[in-house]
Structures are given as structure tokens and as C-alpha cells.
């Protein structure tokens, strides 16, 4: 059962870095959350109001606390476990929708900061941004994806200043896509099926009408377009990319059981990323009109979405921490550190790590061009810190990478 906790003035409710599965509601008193801003490193203090939840993201996502929470006066808080929170509030649509919108807004802010850094502070509008996405796919020789984005552009902006360029790009991409298709390996992609038993509710006949199938390279949603649909992956893999400086950067790889596209229907904003089918993908497609109805009728869906937002916010903040590092060597080293943190099964005694990454992947995650990354990778190789193989990289001592990040992350180039 939830417990009422009493805290005297000056008490610490929890510290940043704590692993804690409790969710709190401030019942009475004056409580603040404090943390250091990822970008500026300056301290930030936020007031928690009476009746507000706190500690939700780290508890639901099973991540370390990101903030220290302090009682500034004698205070009362209601403390509950994640299981108690789910039992009490999963059917409360008003609270769940409020949390979803708050988390969506937070994730959107991180995306905007990330976009600003990757684009060197340049403002990108929807029209020019969409054209850049199409051009970036063409430059990467992903012609099927380029075709889809061009068609979306023509549908949305048929009379724009870019119309002629997009029509020409579409013609070239279509021709190249046909050549790629004729020379491609005929072997079928083996779809990865979902394994999460909690998603069995979506196997019911009532959900069959929402089923959609996408082929390899097909763009499901496009960055910068306005969206009114979101998706649940039933089988296959979806690649998330973000266009920066006319180059598509890999953001994430989504697997069966994960949602995408939900942010646009929660805060009425343009899409913040492009989602592309990697191999054959089967999804359930939901629209804005039936979203709240789905939430009301399927409390489990609301909890899945809440946990998804918690994970996305944590992951994107971790990515953002890499991008704000000025020193190139430290930024690349932190990419290895991030992937090590993601690999919970790694042997923590053995300091050697094997990462299924290429140098191009490192450049993507570090937000740096290949001509900048390659010389730094060569330095790591010559000093025997890493070994680059075909399709993977071995880090001989992950502690060395952490040391580089700690000692060089504040160095200005």
C-alpha cells in the first residue's frame, strides 16, 4: 500500500544517481528538484507543487535518478512502488494523458536542442527541412526512401519554391530505385517477431483492421511533416533518423513491441524524426481520433506508452550529453561509453568490449563528419585502445574511454 512519508526541513528525499523504484506525490510542504543542465552545466532548481508527481520517469524506466529532491520545509509525501502506481492510476485517463503530454513536451525540447546542435544553430523550416531529408536519402543511395519523401513533399507543398528540384530528384531516385531492386538479393527479409507477452492484447481480432505492412526502405513517417497517426511494431525493425546539415543521422532502432509517431498526436507538432522500414515491417496504425479511446479502453497501452516516453527521454538525454562535448576525442569515446551502458549483460570484470558498430556508426552517434572522426579513430588504433574489424569494433579497455571523457569533456577545440 502507498505510504505517507514525513520529511523535515532540509531532508533529502532522494539523491541524483540513486536507483529507486518509488513514485512520489507531494501532499503538503515545499519541495524542490535540483540538477545540472546537460548543456550549460549550470545548476537548475524546479519547484514541485502540491499534488504533483515526482520521480516517475526514473522509477518507470528503471534508470538512476537525474535530480536531487530536497524538502525546503516540513513536508508530507505519498510514496508508492511502480506496481502500486500502475494499479492505482492506469485507469485514470486524465492523469495518464497529462503525464503523456508532459513527457512528450520534454522529449520535444530535447529533440529541438539536439537539432540545434547538429545544424549548428541554423533555423530549419518544414519545407526546406523536408527537401533536405529527401536529398540526404538520395546522397546515401537510399533511393526507395528518397522516392517516398519526394512524394510526400509534392503532396504537401505542390507549389513551393522547391517543386522543380523535388520533381527532378524524384525522377532520378525512381530510376535508381528500379536498378537497385533488379540487382538486389532475392532472399526475403526475415521479420523479427514480438516477444513481449504484455502486448498479446493487440493480437485480438478487433485490432486486425489497424494492420499495415511496409517493405524494406519504405518511409513510414517523415521528419517535418505534420502527423496524425502513430504505430506499434508487431514484427520487423524500424530505423529512426534525423536530418542535420543535409545528412541523415541515426537516432535509434525500434523493435517489435515499440511505438513510434506518438509525439505528433500528443502535442500537434511536426514530426521530429523519419522512420524507415528496415526489411519487411508489420505495424498497427492508430490515428489521432481513436488514440484517447484506445487509452481509455486499454489501460495497459497507456502504461506501455508512459514507459516508452521514460526510455526515450533518458536515451535522448544520454545522446545529447555526447553532442555537447566540444572535444572530438572525448565525444567519440563517450559513444563507446554510451553503448557500454546500454549493454547490461556485459562482463563488468573484463574491461574489453565488443561493439557491433562501424566507423560510420560512430560518426552518426557523435554527430560528426567522417573526415573528422576517421583521424581520431586512427589515433585510437595506433595507441591500441581499439581494434576496428569488419562490422564491429573492439575496445580493449572501456575504462580508458571513461577516463578520456572525464578528463577531456570540458576542453574547448
Amino acid at each position: 500500500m502507498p505510504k505517507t512519508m514525513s520529511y523535515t526541513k532540509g531532508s533529502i528525499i532522494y539523491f541524483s544517481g540513486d536507483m529507486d523504484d518509488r513514485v512520489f506525490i507531494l501532499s503538503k510542504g515545499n519541495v524542490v528538484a535540483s540538477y545540472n543542465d546537460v548543456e550549460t552545466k549550470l545548476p537548475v532548481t524546479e519547484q514541485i507543487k502540491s499534488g504533483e508527481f515526482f520521480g516517475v520517469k526514473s522509477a518507470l524506466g528503471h534508470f538512476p535518478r537525474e535530480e536531487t529532491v530536497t524538502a525546503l520545509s516540513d513536508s508530507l509525501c505519498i510514496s508508492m512502488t511502480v506496481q502500486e502506481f500502475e494499479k492505482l492510476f492506469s485507469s485514470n485517463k486524465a492523469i495518464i494523458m497529462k503525464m503523456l503530454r508532459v513527457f512528450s513536451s520534454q522529449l520535444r525540447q530535447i529533440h529541438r536542442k539536439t537539432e540545434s546542435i547538429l545544424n549548428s544553430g541554423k533555423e530549419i523550416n518544414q519545407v526546406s527541412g523536408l527537401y533536405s531529408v529527401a536529398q540526404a536519402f538520395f546522397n546515401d543511395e537510399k533511393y526507395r526512401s528518397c522516392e517516398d519523401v519526394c512524394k510526400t513533399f509534392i503532396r504537401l507543398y505542390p507549389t513551393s519554391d522547391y517543386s522543380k528540384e523535388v520533381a527532378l530528384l524524384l525522377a532520378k531516385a525512381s530510376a535508381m530505385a528500379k536498378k537497385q531492386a533488379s540487382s538486389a538479393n532475392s532472399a526475403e527479409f526475415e521479420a523479427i517477431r514480438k516477444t513481449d507477452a504484455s502486448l498479446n492484447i493487440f493480437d485480438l481480432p478487433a485490432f486486425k483492421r489497424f494492420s499495415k505492412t511496409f517493405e524494406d526502405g519504405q518511409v513510414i513517417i517523415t521528419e517535418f511533416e505534420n502527423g496524425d497517426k502513430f504505430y506499434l511494431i508487431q514484427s520487423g525493425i524500424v530505423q529512426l533518423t534525423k536530418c542535420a546539415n543535409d545528412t541523415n543521422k541515426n537516432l535509434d532502432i525500434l523493435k517489435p513491441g515499440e511505438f513510434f509517431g506518438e509525439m505528433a498526436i500528443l502535442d500537434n507538432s511536426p514530426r521530429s524524426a523519419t522512420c524507415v522500414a528496415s526489411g519487411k515491417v508489420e505495424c498497427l496504425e492508430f490515428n489521432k481520433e481513436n488514440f484517447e479511446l484506445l487509452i481509455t479502453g486499454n489501460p495497459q497501452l497507456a502504461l506501455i506508452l508512459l514507459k516508452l516516453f521514460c526510455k526515450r527521454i533518458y536515451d535522448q538525454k544520454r545522446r545529447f550529453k555526447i553532442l555537447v562535448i566540444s572535444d572530438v576525442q572525448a565525444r567519440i569515446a563517450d559513444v563507446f561509453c554510451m553503448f557500454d551502458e546500454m549493454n547490461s549483460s556485459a562482463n563488468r570484470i573484463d574491461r574489453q568490449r565488443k561493439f557491433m558498430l562501424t566507423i560510420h556508426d560512430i560518426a552518426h552517434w557523435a554527430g560528426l563528419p567522417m573526415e573528422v572522426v576517421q583521424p581520431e579513430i586512427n589515433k585510437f588504433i595506433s595507441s591500441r585502445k581499439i581494434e576496428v574489424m569488419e562490422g564491429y569494433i573492439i575496445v580493449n579497455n572501456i575504462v580508458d574511454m571513461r577516463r578520456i571523457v572525464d578528463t577531456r569533456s570540458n576542453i574547448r577545440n
Side-chain angles (χ1 to χ4, degrees), residues 60-212:
L60 291 183
H62 304 292
F63 304 124
R65 301 290 197 189
E66 295 181 315
E67 70 285 342
T68 296
V69 176
T70 308
L72 297 185
S73 64
D74 291 349
S75 303
L76 292 176
C77 297
I78 298 171
S79 165
M80 66 194 80
T81 65
V82 169
Q83 292 75 21
E84 290 167 342
F85 169 81
E86 292 178 359
K87 184 177 180 180
L88 288 171
F89 296 103
S90 63
S91 59
N92 190 319
K93 189 182 78 172
I95 288 178
I96 295 296
M97 289 302 298
K98 181 179 179 180
M99 284 189 175
L100 285 173
R101 289 195 170 96
V102 168
F103 289 174
S104 175
S105 176
Q106 291 177 3
L107 188 55
R108 181 76 63 181
Q109 290 174 20
I110 300 168
H111 275 302
R112 285 173 181 151
K113 288 182 177 181
T114 300
E115 188 176 89
S116 178
I117 287 179
L118 292 175
N119 285 302
S120 303
K122 292 187 296 183
E123 287 291 329
I124 306 294
N125 63 46
Q126 285 181 255
V127 179
S128 62
L130 196 58
Y131 175 67
S132 294
V133 173
Q135 186 66 62
F137 276 126
F138 188 88
N139 294 342
D140 289 340
E141 299 182 0
K142 296 180 179 178
Y143 301 117
R144 170 63 197 275
S145 302
C146 178
E147 271 191 288
D148 289 343
V149 177
C150 286
K151 289 175 182 176
T152 297
F153 186 103
I154 292 169
R155 174 173 54 83
L156 295 176
Y157 309 111
T159 60
S160 82
D161 293 340
Y162 293 92
S163 295
K164 290 183 180 179
E165 290 93 334
V166 173
L168 181 60
L169 188 62
L170 174 58
K172 292 194 293 184
S174 297
M176 297 302 293
K178 287 178 182 177
K179 289 182 180 179
Q180 275 188 338
S182 63
S183 61
N185 191 314
S186 62
E188 289 291 324
F189 288 93
E190 184 179 353
I192 298 176
R193 300 297 304 180
K194 66 179 182 294
T195 56
D196 190 341
S198 68
L199 295 168
N200 288 340
I201 56 170
F202 297 109
D203 287 331
L204 296 174
F207 288 100
K208 294 294 183 184
R209 62 192 176 98
F210 300 112
S211 181
K212 296 284 182 179

Side-chain angles (χ1 to χ4, degrees), residues 28 54 80 85 116 137 175 224 248 254 258 265 280-281 283-284 288-289 302 333 344 382 392 397 411:
K28 180 181 178 182
F54 60 97
M80 66 194 80
F85 169 81
S116 178
F137 276 126
F224 298 108
N248 282 321
L254 303 182
E258 295 194 82
I265 68 169
K280 184 178 179 180
V281 174
C283 291
L284 295 180
K288 199 167 189 174
E289 286 68 33
S344 58
S382 62
Y392 65 94
N397 189 340
I411 296 175

Side-chain angles (χ1 to χ4, degrees), residues 347-362:
N347 184 339
R348 297 298 159 184
I349 298 176
D350 183 2
R351 295 180 176 182
Q352 188 180 84
R353 300 286 189 270
K354 178 181 177 180
F355 299 112
M356 304 307 292
L357 298 168
T358 66
I359 299 175
H360 279 92
D361 293 330
I362 299 297

Side-chain angles (χ1 to χ4, degrees), residues 318 321-338 362 365-366 368 376 379-380 400-413:
R318 183 63 184 88
K321 286 179 181 179
I322 294 173
L323 298 178
V324 298
I325 297 174
S326 299
D327 183 77
V328 173
Q329 193 176 96
R331 191 186 285 199
I332 294 169
D334 205 28
V335 172
F336 292 120
C337 293
M338 179 183 72
I362 299 297
W365 288 105
L368 296 167
E376 297 301 326
K379 291 178 187 177
F380 281 136
D400 285 343
M401 296 298 163
R402 296 194 193 107
R403 190 178 298 117
I404 290 170
V405 174
D406 291 341
T407 57
R408 297 179 63 89
S409 59
N410 293 318
I411 296 175
R412 296 282 171 181
N413 290 329

